[in-house]
Amino acid sequence: KWLVVAGAGLIALSGALVLQRIASGQAEGVLLLALLALAGIGMGMVMGPLPPVVMAQVSRAEAGTGSAMLRTAQQIGGALGIALLGAAYLAAGSDASARLAGLYPVIVLFLVGVIVTALLAMRLPADIFGHGKGWVGNGQRGEDVSGH
């Protein structure tokens, strides 16, 4: 769960800095590229562990539905994020500086969304997959390796 929380934090920090640089008209250079790379790494830290976490909470009989709901939610979230960013950018009309100023509310919404994600991830149980005592890690039960 801490990988997801750290990833969300990395997305929040680097994503907000990218949007801030764009809004202030400083969207060039190696720093912007590095910030985008950090946002991508954070995204991988969040999106990689997410499907197994979600699917661990779904019965085998409902696995197809659970997987479909996860993918649908991801697609809708991505589409809404892009739509909101585009709407904020284009709402100011043709003036470029006004368009850039319209990104500041998007930065706030972006940060709120990522912070909520991190808070929800922190509520995940420590033993998400129900392995508990004696889990060896290869699908077999064994001795208590947790030290308890």
Side-chain angles (χ1 to χ4, degrees), residues 50-105:
L50 196 56
V53 168
V54 170
M55 295 309 295
Q57 306 304 314
V58 177
S59 70
R60 280 187 180 216
E62 296 174 335
T65 303
S67 177
M69 290 299 295
L70 171 66
R71 298 297 180 207
T72 300
Q74 288 174 334
Q75 293 296 319
I76 290 172
L80 284 175
I82 291 170
L84 288 174
L85 183 62
Y89 182 71
L90 296 173
S94 61
D95 182 26
S97 61
R99 281 186 178 177
L100 293 175
L103 289 177
Y104 286 109

Side-chain angles (χ1 to χ4, degrees), residues 4-5 8-9 113-123:
V4 175
V5 173
V114 174
I115 289 168
V116 167
T117 300
L119 291 174
L120 289 173
M122 288 182 359
R123 293 184 41 89

Side-chain angles (χ1 to χ4, degrees), residues 4-144:
V4 175
V5 173
L10 194 56
I11 294 169
L13 177 64
S14 57
L17 289 173
V18 165
L19 289 172
Q20 187 277 328
R21 290 190 65 79
I22 292 171
S24 65
Q26 302 172 350
E28 72 279 332
V30 175
L31 179 60
L32 185 65
L33 183 62
L35 290 171
L36 288 171
L38 285 176
I41 291 169
M43 190 66 106
M45 292 167 66
V46 171
M47 300 306 281
L50 196 56
V53 168
V54 170
M55 295 309 295
Q57 306 304 314
V58 177
S59 70
R60 280 187 180 216
E62 296 174 335
T65 303
S67 177
M69 290 299 295
L70 171 66
R71 298 297 180 207
T72 300
Q74 288 174 334
Q75 293 296 319
I76 290 172
L80 284 175
I82 291 170
L84 288 174
L85 183 62
Y89 182 71
L90 296 173
S94 61
D95 182 26
S97 61
R99 281 186 178 177
L100 293 175
L103 289 177
Y104 286 109
V106 174
I107 295 171
V108 172
L109 288 173
F110 173 78
L111 287 174
V112 168
V114 174
I115 289 168
V116 167
T117 300
L119 291 174
L120 289 173
M122 288 182 359
R123 293 184 41 89
L124 289 171
D127 188 18
I128 294 169
F129 300 107
H131 296 152
K133 280 188 163 187
W135 182 254
V136 177
N138 60 3
Q140 304 293 319
R141 289 276 185 196
E143 298 171 12
D144 183 5

